[in-house]
Amino acid sequence: MNGAQDLGGMMGFGPVEPEPEDVRFHAPWEKRALAVTLAAGAMGAWNIDASRHARETLNPADYLSSSYYEIWIKGLEKLLLARGLVTAEELAAGRALAPGDPGQRVLKAADVPAVLARGTQYDRPPEATARFAVGERVRTKVMHPAGHTRLPRYARGKVGTIARVNGVFVFPDTHAHGKGECPQWLYTVAFSGAELWGADGDATLTVSIDAWESYLEGAAA
């Protein structure tokens, strides 16, 4: 969706200011925000793409005025409410007002390191050959879906070159909405700065994105 999270190419937000790699949190509550998000996700009531979509559907004014982990918590609240795992009254009170569901999966603290190290596999066996090959020119489709997508606005309708064929992976656009995994070939596509930003773009710049096959169509040389 064309939400507040899709900021690539937008003006007026100032420069990107990278922080040192060892800076993970800015306050103790951010550690708890990460922990409770992981614990809630481990219940299995939603997937990672649904989680991303919950965050991007926040009101734009709310999204842009919130910090990184504030966005995580607000997205988590939406997911918990939508699945009936909490009530609005419980969120307002900051505590449970009724017994929880004992059938939910529980991520125990001792298991967290192993679970995070193992991760989740999203690659799938191919059921068809890849449509595009490394070095081939492609054009991204112009699209404005109301739901989740991983194709950013600034890269739509642009011509790039296949830099890598990554394999077949779960398609986020359907996975986020409970419409199945619908695995597709995933490509790394490289674009020139001029292609993305016009004649004033940095001629030395190359921007690469990962794009699922249905985002792409062939482009004449």
Side-chain angles (χ1 to χ4, degrees), residues 38-157:
L38 292 175
M43 292 189 295
W46 55 81
N47 58 58
I48 190 172
D49 296 308
S51 182
R52 287 169 172 154
H53 185 58
R55 296 168 197 160
E56 70 190 13
T57 54
L58 293 174
N59 181 283
D62 194 15
Y63 187 100
L64 294 173
S65 61
S66 300
S67 69
Y68 182 77
Y69 281 111
E70 284 175 340
I71 292 171
W72 274 44
I73 289 297
K74 291 174 182 180
L76 177 59
E77 289 176 350
K78 293 186 67 171
L79 291 165
L80 292 169
L81 283 168
R83 272 51 173 197
L85 296 171
V86 299
T87 65
E89 292 74 21
E90 287 175 319
L91 288 178
R95 60 184 178 87
L97 300 178
D101 181 357
Q104 295 294 332
R105 294 187 312 202
V106 176
L107 176 61
K108 297 181 179 180
D111 297 332
V112 171
V115 169
L116 293 182
R118 184 170 64 248
T120 302
Q121 297 296 317
Y122 288 100
D123 56 323
R124 298 292 182 266
E127 297 184 356
T129 57
R131 180 181 174 188
F132 305 107
V134 171
E136 193 168 351
R137 284 164 53 85
V138 293
R139 184 186 304 275
T140 53
K141 295 179 180 179
V142 176
M143 49 190 277
H144 299 281
H148 184 62
T149 185
R150 300 304 296 275
L151 181 61
R153 278 177 293 178
Y154 71 83
R156 297 176 191 168

Side-chain angles (χ1 to χ4, degrees), residues 157-178:
K158 305 297 184 180
V159 174
T161 303
I162 301 292
R164 180 175 177 179
V165 180
N166 296 299
V168 175
F169 287 82
V170 171
F171 187 45
D173 302 41
T174 56
H175 199 222
H177 302 286

